[in-house]
Amino acid sequence: MIQAIKKQIERIKAKGATYVDTRWYPFEESNQLLMLNGNLKDASSTRESGIGIRVLYKGAWGFTASSDMSDLAALFNRAFDNARVAAERVTFPIRLAEKDAVQASFTSPCEVDPFEVPLAEKVAFLKDMDTKLNQEGVFLRMGGLNFVRKHIVFADSEGSEIEKHVTEVFAELQVRGQDAQGTSQERKFRLGQQGAGTRGWESIDRNLFLENAERIVREMKQVLSADDCPKEDRSVILLPGIMYLQTHETIGHALELDRILGYELAFAGGSFVTLDDFGKLRYGSEKLTARADATVINSPGSFGYDDDGIPAQNVTLIDKGILVGAITGRQMVEEANAKSKRQIFKGSGGANRATAFYRVPIERMTNINIDPGTDGTLDDIVAKTEKGIILDGDRSWSIGSNREQFHFATEIGWLVDDGKVIKVVKNSTYKGPTVKFWNSLSAVGDRSTWEVRYVDNCGKGQPNQTMQLGHGIPVCRFDNVRIGE
Ligand SMILES: [Zn+2]
């Protein structure tokens, strides 16, 4: 098949195309299980295969995709014709940043293929977790498993040929209860890692999940009988269960270069960041160094090569507080450099990805990480906090249309006074203007506080593309933040 594809790429190139690439998916499979209050609510599987073809002609993209690969020539002709029609209307001719041709392969780290594990074993795991979660005060208990496996072969007209085998494992436990006011309270546990190791069925570690099942029930019960979060200004200490979302929404999405250039405006909003800001904007305090790092060994944000065929990169986004980089692909870096009349970006950051063979790649987060700092462990940070609140677990979130401000509610809060944890509070919230908030970053935890959180449901694009990625984040403290309203 790959020889036939390469022959077609050459044929379309000979017709005048500037660039052609294809992503052939021999298969992509998913398997989802959901147990709700002891009942298996969902056990579904999907399997699809096909090819997506991009053709660049006279500065315009043409795309087509199909599961039926019996007439490859017709498919390639359609992609070329689409590009020809688009070329008549193009306002800003597309150019692609230079890249080297690569012949390579990538396999994500996996010991036990979750698709080889019998259904009965997966259901038994969820049943055990359900038994553990089934305690007094819990009115809803949920266990979810989500597995993805795909085989992708990329080829382009510049001589690249890349084969990828990717396996993903996502898992979540959740409990809900009702407080005296009738408000639903919740606590979750999601599988994450330290950035090393593997992510096959072996990462569904029974003991790890049992310990966390016990913990989330205990913490949710504490929330049920807790006082409300006070309305005042305090330092907020964000644990990874909310720090990942803070990073995702106010650094990750804000720094997607296509969004900065205005391409997402109609869908999920723009970004307050402008091209002038690169190299200048003080995005955070000196303690903040953030990166888009697709080289983390074990994370769904590490995929070897992006859908432009660019090898995984570790790109600095914010260097000691100063904005220096963005989440980029080959097309947008050229457009940004041209529009700003300076070379902000030296080349693609390797972050152009499509969710399926039948979608076009767009700029997506890889692993949007924050470097561990020098302020010690969580206990060290708490001990040096006069008036604060520790927050964990995403409960609700709302973001300004250009991500210039945010409001997050968390599952749990622990008030801190004079360096000591005083009590648990419920209905905890915090809010702020994005740049002012990151500039109030006053403590960054060390490596012991740093975790990679997996995200399997990041949405972007029209039509929507759901993407898997990661966030490697430490515990962080921010000062003078409005909480409780
Ligand atoms: Zn997202």
Side-chain angles (χ1 to χ4, degrees), residues 253-275:
H253 280 305
L255 294 186
E256 291 157 345
L257 190 52
D258 53 351
R259 193 184 301 277
I260 291 168
L261 288 166
Y263 286 102
E264 279 283 305
L265 282 176
F267 187 47
S271 173
F272 64 89
V273 173
T274 67
L275 294 177

Side-chain angles (χ1 to χ4, degrees), residues 245 248-249 253 256 259 364-365 403 455 457-460 469 471:
L245 191 68
H248 185 91
E249 301 293 355
H253 280 305
E256 291 157 345
R259 193 184 301 277
R364 302 307 300 252
M365 291 180 222
R403 300 185 183 260
V455 175
N457 61 353
C458 177
K460 188 181 172 186
L469 53 103
H471 293 292

Side-chain angles (χ1 to χ4, degrees), residues 64 78 101-102 109 139 185 207 258 274 281 326 334 352 361 372 384 413 434 476:
T64 198
R78 199 193 306 154
V102 279
F139 81 65
Q185 301 290 347
N207 290 334
D258 53 351
T274 67
L281 177 68
E334 288 290 312
N352 217 31
K384 287 182 185 141
T434 300
C476 287

